[in-house]
Amino acid sequence: PGAVREALSRLTADGLVEGVAQKGFIVKPASVADLEDLTETRVELECVCLERSIQRGGARWEGQVLAAAHELRRTPLPDVTGEDKYQGEWINVHRDFHSLLVSACGSPWRLRMRDLLHEQTQRYWHLLSGPAMHARDLAAEHGGIVEAALAHDTALATTRLRTHLMLTSQVLLRNAAGLPP
C-alpha cells in the first residue's frame, strides 16, 4: 500500500492521474485543449533549451548529437498499426535524441520541466498516433535540426524544431476526433 500511494503521488505530481474525493484516482482525461496547451508550452521551452545548448555546447555535445542522430536514422520506426506500437527501440532512441539536443542548456530546472512536457506529449502520441506519422520524412526533419544546430544557427535550428514539434501535434490533433474539446 505504501508503494502504491507513493506511485500515485508521483503520477499526480506529473499530471498523469487525478485524485477524486471519496473515490481514489483516475487517469487524467485527454483533451484537445490540453494537447494544444501542452504543445505550445513544450515548443517554447524546448526552443529555449536548444538555443542555450547551441550557445553552451562544445565539441563533446556536438559529437553526442551526431551520434544520437545517426542512431535515430538507423532505427526503424515502430509499426503504429500493430499491437506493439507503444514499444520498439525507436521511441526510446527518439526520446534520447531530443534530450541530447537540449542537454547542454545548463539549466537543470528547464531540463526537468522539458522532460515532464515530453512525457506528457508521449501520452498523446500513444493515444493518437497512426500511419500519418510515417507519411512525414522524419529523418529529414531531425537531420535539418541537427544541421542547423551544429552550424550554430540558433534561429534556423529553433524554427526547424518548432516546425517538427508542431507537425507532430497537427497529426495528433487530426486523429483526436474522439477527444473532448
Side-chain angles (χ1 to χ4, degrees), residues 1-20 23-28:
V4 171
R5 259 193 311 278
E6 175 64 22
L8 287 169
S9 292
R10 288 183 183 189
L11 291 170
T12 301
D14 288 347
L16 295 171
V17 299
E18 296 176 343
V20 179
K23 294 189 179 192
F25 294 88
I26 61 168
V27 174
K28 182 181 175 190

Side-chain angles (χ1 to χ4, degrees), residues 121-133:
T121 303
Q122 284 301 108
R123 177 175 163 241
Y124 280 96
W125 192 90
H126 290 311
L127 285 170
L128 302 171
S129 67
M133 286 295 180

Side-chain angles (χ1 to χ4, degrees), residues 3-4 12-13 21 24 28 31 40 47 49 61 67 76 78 82 85 90 94 103 110 112 130 158 163 175 179:
V4 171
T12 301
K28 182 181 175 190
S31 71
E40 181 180 323
C47 284
C49 290
W61 171 76
K85 80 177 195 176
W90 188 87
H94 183 250
S103 64
R110 284 185 178 98
R112 193 173 308 150
T158 56
T163 300
N175 293 339
L179 289 183

Side-chain angles (χ1 to χ4, degrees), residues 93-159:
V93 171
H94 183 250
R95 179 197 62 232
D96 293 347
F97 167 78
H98 277 278
S99 293
L100 270 167
L101 273 175
V102 300
S103 64
C105 86
S107 171
W109 277 106
R110 284 185 178 98
L111 291 175
R112 193 173 308 150
M113 297 308 297
R114 182 246 160 233
D115 288 347
L116 175 61
L117 295 170
H118 180 268
E119 290 305 314
Q120 291 288 335
T121 303
Q122 284 301 108
R123 177 175 163 241
Y124 280 96
W125 192 90
H126 290 311
L127 285 170
L128 302 171
S129 67
M133 286 295 180
H134 290 300
R136 295 167 55 194
D137 189 348
L138 292 171
E141 290 178 32
H142 292 124
I145 297 165
V146 170
E147 178 185 302
L150 296 182
H152 293 257
D153 188 339
T154 56
L156 183 58
T158 56
T159 296

Side-chain angles (χ1 to χ4, degrees), residues 49-86:
C49 290
L50 178 58
E51 183 174 342
R52 289 172 54 101
S53 288
I54 291 168
Q55 293 166 352
R56 296 167 183 256
R60 177 171 291 187
W61 171 76
E62 290 176 358
Q64 291 172 334
V65 168
L66 282 170
H70 175 72
E71 184 179 9
L72 186 58
R73 270 192 315 276
R74 305 274 300 179
T75 305
L77 286 165
D79 176 8
V80 293
T81 61
E83 288 296 315
D84 64 342
K85 80 177 195 176
Y86 308 126

